[in-house]
Amino acid sequence: MNILNKFSRLTSSIVLKAVDLFSSPIYLYDEQSIISNCNALQSMPNAYGLTTRYAMKANSCRSILQIINKQGFQFDASSMNEIRRAHLAGIEYKKIILTTQEVPIAAERQELEYMIMQGLKYNVCSLRQLYLIGDFASKNNVNLAIRVHPGIGSGESATRNTGDNYSCFGIHLSNIEQAIGYAEKEGISFDHVHVHIGSGADSEVWRNNIDLELCILEKYFPKANTISFGGGLKVSRMPDEKTADIQELGEYAKRKIIQFYQKTGRKLKMEIEPGTYVVANSGYAVTQVIDKKKTGNDGLNFIIVNGGMEINARPLLYASRHPFYIISKDGSLLSSEFAEDISTYDFKAAIVGRCCESGDSQCLDREGVSIPRKMAEPDIGDIVVIGAVGAYCSSMTPMNYNSQLQISEILFTQNGELKEIRKKQTLEQLVANEI
Ligand SMILES: *Cc1c(COP(=O)(O)O)cnc(C)c1O
């Protein structure tokens, strides 16, 4: 079988075809896998309704947004530009919530007011944001959402923990009374309470947050009808990692929301806001081997491919591991890290990119040291596919480092076509704004 792994329909011959049609390097997305992930999330158990909201910063490419929109998802935008971008993709303002560190003032403020009047939900994330939006909200009877900083978080690294006291997202619990006091004085209501504790959160902490957030909602927000548990649902990018159990987390949330109803008479609608879970395992970076080197007998084998940190910076940022698939020039799958025989390979190498930067490696540990991995030894020109790059790769890379151009994005559609959804950047575009 030439299927890359158990969770996609992609085969090595489809990858080869994509390289023939569009040349490497490219991002290749599997539409069917995105749709299955959406379906899985929508089947999460819940008590009184569930809104599934895609955190679009994970991957904001227009076609990807449209696929997810078609599945009935709503959207979380992290900036004004993300709202504008979603709107350009045909997504109505009323399906979007803005959860941002930005403080829209001057002309942006006018635009934000317009969007809110069209149905955009504004998620207040700081006292300053509240003071700035307060008069508008109360004059126009607009209910707001509030992002609470619970003081407890979890993520795959400190840089992805957004809930503990070393990160600054939302209004900290110690400031909540101040926020409520102001809102009461101004006649503002919060109907939506939001917490997002981090990316790749530990399930135990995610569950504990459900309890904590319900307590916060009961104590401070008598008019809230929606509780958002944020995103952060973990996925396994590597065979030895574990995906969050949606069913189990949903059952837990459902039980707690029903208990909350029994205690207070209030039926809360639940929201989740994943980015990673929707797209991470649906994306592949397709590269080709351009060189091979060895650093002595006690050194490492290096496989140099035509795309690295400027395509996937996650190993460098977070020491994240991504699975490798080696495909020969004639399209046979030589090795897959999801295949059981991977441990039987003798060859070990680090996959590195072209940038003048030791950190341009796809195999880094937390100290920034390249750790070689087992694989079939590829020849020059063979294809190296880097898996699980659907989230926080295309949307989050140092893409023009070494003046490498942003690569194109290709969709493997549900009916088996290969379709370009974003063109490669050109040299003219790279220098266009230079004076
Ligand atoms: C990034 C983000 C998410 C999504 O996080 P994932 O780990 O990708 O699921 C959800 N909500 C907010 C507010 C975010 O900033």
Side-chain angles (χ1 to χ4, degrees), residues 73 83 118 144 226 352 383:
F73 269 58
I83 304 175
Q118 301 292 311
L144 298 173
T226 302
V352 300
I383 297 169

Side-chain angles (χ1 to χ4, degrees), residues 58-96:
N59 189 319
S60 324
C61 187
R62 181 175 298 185
S63 298
I64 305 282
L65 296 180
Q66 288 169 339
I67 293 166
I68 297 166
N69 189 33
K70 232 198 233 161
Q71 304 312 307
F73 269 58
Q74 305 217 5
F75 293 83
D76 174 62
S78 297
S79 67
M80 289 291 285
N81 270 346
E82 280 196 353
I83 304 175
R84 295 177 187 123
R85 203 168 172 186
H87 196 67
L88 286 169
I91 294 159
E92 299 162 281
Y93 292 122
K94 64 173 197 251
K95 288 191 181 169
I96 306 172

Side-chain angles (χ1 to χ4, degrees), residues 53-58 76-78 97 99-100 123 125 147 156 160 162 169 194-201 206 228-234 237 272-279 391-392:
R53 196 179 277 290
Y54 172 60
M56 66 178 280
K57 73 180 189 296
D76 174 62
S78 297
I97 192 168
T99 307
T100 183
N123 194 5
C125 294
R147 178 171 184 173
E156 282 168 303
R160 281 169 295 170
T162 57
F169 300 97
H194 174 279
V195 168
H196 170 65
I197 58 168
S199 265
W206 213 86
S228 171
F229 298 128
L233 299 165
K234 204 183 174 96
R237 295 182 176 84
I272 50 166
E273 201 172 68
T276 302
Y277 199 98
V278 182
V279 286
Y392 307 107

Side-chain angles (χ1 to χ4, degrees), residues 239-296:
D240 62 346
E241 293 172 350
K242 259 187 91 178
T243 296
D245 186 339
I246 300 284
Q247 290 300 312
E248 185 260 335
L249 290 173
E251 286 300 344
Y252 186 86
K254 179 178 174 180
R255 196 161 70 240
K256 294 294 171 159
I257 290 174
I258 290 172
Q259 283 170 8
F260 183 87
Y261 165 67
Q262 287 161 346
K263 187 168 167 205
T264 65
R266 298 165 65 188
K267 288 186 175 173
L268 298 176
K269 182 157 193 192
M270 161 175 149
E271 234 182 75
I272 50 166
E273 201 172 68
T276 302
Y277 199 98
V278 182
V279 286
N281 274 324
S282 308
Y284 298 80
V286 180
T287 68
Q288 278 176 290
V289 179
I290 56 172
D291 210 342
K292 298 182 3 172
K293 298 188 190 184
K294 190 160 188 218
T295 48

Side-chain angles (χ1 to χ4, degrees), residues 302-319:
F302 288 95
I303 301 296
I304 298 147
V305 297
N306 58 356
M309 62 184 278
E310 79 283 11
I311 292 178
N312 176 21
R314 299 186 74 261
L316 179 58
L317 283 171
Y318 308 131

Side-chain angles (χ1 to χ4, degrees), residues 31-45:
E31 183 177 27
Q32 181 61 52
S33 148
I34 299 174
I35 293 172
S36 314
N37 296 337
C38 288
N39 293 342
L41 289 159
Q42 284 169 327
S43 71
M44 189 167 184

